[in-house]
DNA sequence: ATGGTAGGTCTCCTA
């Protein structure tokens, strides 16, 4: 069995103790992080190693982006993709000894206005997900788990109000359709919705709410996908809502799934 | 209809 977690940590240096708490309490085999907000050389990995997480592949960047895969199991660095061609640290991949591949992505948030003509950041987001779709179509991945902050909540029950978020970046039809086409092109299954098909499910709550828990205006932006050869009936996918209530929290919470592999 | 908070950082950019 392999348990994998994904978490947008929003500064790994500020939250190294928070990461250690998650590792100690949940004991995933692999933890994928996004938004390290740190150069590679300033990420302290010793404390993860002390907990048994001795292996990592890491792509840092000053102030923005940054992704890492930290692991109890040996990893082969499979490199990173640069879909926007700007050297942004938004992807890293690793291979396990059993042949399973882990793909860790941080999709651009896309700015505030869902119109690429007036908001280039929205165009970048669509281009990034389009590249993700094209890559999946080309490669037809096998024995692969794709995780990350995809910054899109595809289903009506992935947002607190489908109607009110139709025009809000993260849940617009153009983004949702593109994400669905990427899922289909690569042969991916949404593992979390495979395990928890109905009901509201969120992995992110804004910092701007007076009381995130009471207002509960969340969105499911963080995802675990897998190729069909890894999908079985016993994944035990889960989203750790309570982590949003920890001291000095990230605005995202960890998403976990367990695989028979 | 609006503004609200957080993190990193060439005091404003990104989310």
């Amino acid at each position: 069995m392999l348990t994998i977690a994904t978490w947008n940590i929003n500064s790994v240096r500020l939250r190294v103790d928070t990461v250690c708490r998650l590792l100690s309490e949940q004991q995933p085999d692999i933890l994928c992080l996004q938004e390290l907000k740190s150069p590679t050389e300033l990420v302290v990995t010793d404390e993860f190693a002390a907990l048994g997480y001795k292996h990592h592949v890491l792509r840092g960047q000053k102030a923005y982006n940054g992704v890492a895969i930290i692991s109890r199991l040996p990893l082969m660095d499979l490199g990173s993709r640069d879909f926007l061609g700007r050297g942004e640290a938004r992807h890293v991949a690793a291979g396990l000894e059993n042949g399973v591949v882990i793909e860790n992505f941080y999709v651009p948030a896309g700015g505030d206005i869902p119109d690429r003509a007036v908001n280039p950041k929205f165009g970048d987001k669509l281009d990034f997900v389009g590249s993700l779709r094209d890559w999946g179509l080309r490669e037809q991945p096998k024995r692969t788990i794709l995780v990350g902050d995809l910054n899109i909540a595809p289903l009506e029950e992935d947002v607190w109000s489908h109607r009110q978020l139709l025009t809000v970046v993260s849940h617009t039809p153009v983004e949702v359709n593109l994400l669905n086409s990427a899922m289909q092109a690569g042969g991916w299954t949404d593992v979390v919705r495979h395990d928890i098909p109905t009901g509201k499910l969120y992995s992110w709550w804004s910092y701007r709410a007076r009381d995130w828990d009471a207002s509960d205006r969340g969105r499911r932006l963080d995802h675990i996908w897998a190729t069909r050869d890894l999908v079985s009936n016993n994944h035990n996918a889960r989203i750790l809502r309570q982590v949003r209530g920890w001291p000095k929290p990230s605005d995202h919470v960890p998403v976990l799934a367990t695989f028979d592999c």
Side-chain angles (χ1 to χ4, degrees):
Chain A
M1 301 294 269
L2 178 85
T3 296
I4 185 163
T6 180
W7 194 8
N8 178 320
I9 194 62
N10 188 20
S11 171
V12 72
R13 282 185 283 161
L14 191 68
R15 279 183 256 284
V16 63
D17 293 341
T18 314
V19 173
C20 286
R21 178 174 172 186
L22 180 82
L23 294 173
S24 302
E25 290 186 8
Q26 296 291 325
Q27 306 262 317
D29 297 296
I30 294 169
L31 172 62
C32 296
L33 296 171
Q34 304 87 33
E35 278 212 271
L36 302 181
K37 289 188 170 176
S38 169
T40 300
E41 61 272 18
L42 295 184
V43 178
V44 178
T45 54
D46 305 9
E47 300 190 37
F48 307 144
L51 294 173
Y53 295 83
K54 297 180 174 152
H55 310 277
H56 60 267
V57 294
L58 207 149
R59 297 291 187 275
Q61 183 181 332
K62 185 181 180 180
Y64 304 111
N65 310 315
V67 286
I69 304 174
I70 61 181
S71 173
R72 300 205 278 208
L73 308 168
L75 298 177
M76 185 189 311
D77 190 327
L78 297 180
S80 41
R81 294 186 173 81
D82 184 7
F83 286 152
L84 297 179
R86 293 179 197 157
E88 294 182 343
R90 293 184 176 278
H91 170 262
V92 69
L96 305 183
E97 286 175 332
N98 64 5
V100 169
V101 173
I102 312 295
E103 303 277 354
N104 180 19
F105 281 100
Y106 174 48
V107 171
D112 287 333
I113 304 166
D115 178 356
R116 69 185 309 157
V118 295
N119 171 22
K121 286 191 280 190
F122 191 69
D124 290 344
K125 181 179 198 175
L126 299 181
D127 291 345
F128 193 100
V129 180
S131 295
L132 182 64
R133 175 199 59 203
D134 297 344
W135 159 72
L137 193 60
R138 246 184 357 256
E139 303 282 325
Q140 291 299 300
K142 299 287 180 275
R143 283 176 70 74
T144 301
I145 302 168
L146 184 158
V147 308
D149 178 4
L150 304 185
N151 264 317
I152 298 173
L155 302 173
E156 294 192 17
E157 290 194 304
D158 291 340
V159 292
W160 64 275
S161 167
H162 172 61
R163 187 179 61 81
Q164 287 181 255
L165 287 174
L166 275 172
T167 55
V168 174
V169 173
S170 71
H171 192 61
T172 63
V174 62
E175 292 169 88
V176 168
N177 292 338
L178 193 53
L179 192 73
N180 285 334
S181 74
M183 208 180 316
Q184 188 166 30
W188 305 104
T189 296
D190 177 341
V191 167
V192 175
R193 279 304 184 186
H194 177 267
D195 287 6
I196 313 169
T198 58
K200 294 286 191 185
L201 214 45
Y202 314 136
S203 66
W204 173 89
W205 293 261
S206 172
Y207 281 127
R208 295 174 187 174
R210 267 189 293 271
D211 183 337
W212 71 272
D213 196 21
S215 58
D216 200 20
R217 297 185 167 190
R219 307 176 200 170
R220 188 173 70 105
L221 305 178
D222 303 274
H223 298 271
I224 299 178
W225 292 356
T227 50
R228 290 191 236 290
D229 48 7
L230 292 179
V231 175
S232 75
N233 289 326
N234 183 27
H235 286 293
N236 189 28
R238 53 218 186 269
I239 300 184
L240 304 184
R241 178 189 175 102
Q242 70 275 15
V243 172
R244 187 64 176 75
W246 286 5
K248 292 284 283 179
S250 168
D251 44 356
H252 296 252
V253 299
V255 182
L256 290 86
T258 301
F259 294 88
D260 309 308
C261 65

